Amino acid sequence: QVQLVESGGGLVQAGGSLRLSCAASNRTFGDYCVGWFRQAPGKEREFVAASSWTGGTLYNTDSVKGRFAISRDAAKNTVYLQMNSLKPEDTAVYYCAAAIRGRHGDSTYYTEVVEYDYWGQGTQVTVSS
């Protein structure tokens, strides 16, 4: 069992930045793909970015297009999502999730909600215009 805790959400003006954090309280991220998803009111949960156990990263380029960056700090057992040039359409609850390596096929990255085994409680990000 992996317990994930997100932090760093809040209210920011358009064009501003936020950094979200996802900490694992009882397990290291070494053998997990860690992803960030977001869900706006009335919409489905959407993949944002993933950090693989290989060290590689993957982004939903359509929605974040170089504005967001995911990174992991192994020493702190934390994964970050740096969000720059925020837009009102980025407003959503952001979720951190962890997928066990190899459980969902041979892919290095997972982008579907059903592929993730553990989820955090979510953190609200609101971008005002």
Side-chain angles (χ1 to χ4, degrees):
Q1 190 79 9
V2 178
Q3 295 176 347
L4 304 175
V5 179
E6 302 104 331
S7 61
L11 173 64
V12 65
Q13 289 188 334
S17 298
L18 284 173
R19 188 178 78 160
L20 305 182
S21 299
C22 173
S25 62
N26 61 338
R27 193 69 62 90
T28 63
F29 279 138
D31 285 329
Y32 290 84
C33 176
V34 180
W36 284 98
F37 289 75
R38 66 186 182 185
Q39 188 165 19
K43 295 188 176 181
E44 293 187 352
R45 196 165 295 190
E46 173 189 42
F47 168 75
V48 176
S51 170
S52 172
W53 55 83
T54 64
T57 57
L58 181 71
Y59 296 93
N60 181 340
T61 55
D62 289 343
S63 64
V64 302
K65 288 187 178 180
R67 299 183 296 121
F68 292 7
I70 188 171
S71 61
R72 64 167 73 189
D73 185 331
K76 296 182 178 180
N77 207 30
T78 300
V79 172
Y80 302 99
L81 184 68
Q82 178 68 43
M83 305 186 296
N84 300 323
S85 301
L86 283 161
K87 305 174 182 180
E89 51 263 44
D90 294 317
T91 295
V93 177
Y94 282 71
Y95 296 91
C96 170
I100 299 172
R101 174 181 178 178
R103 176 172 288 188
H104 303 281
D106 296 329
S107 178
T108 304
Y109 304 96
Y110 302 120
T111 62
E112 302 295 328
V113 170
V114 295
E115 293 175 316
Y116 281 79
D117 303 288
Y118 305 103
W119 292 84
Q121 81 286 353
T123 185
Q124 177 70 47
V125 171
T126 303
V127 184
S128 63
S129 58

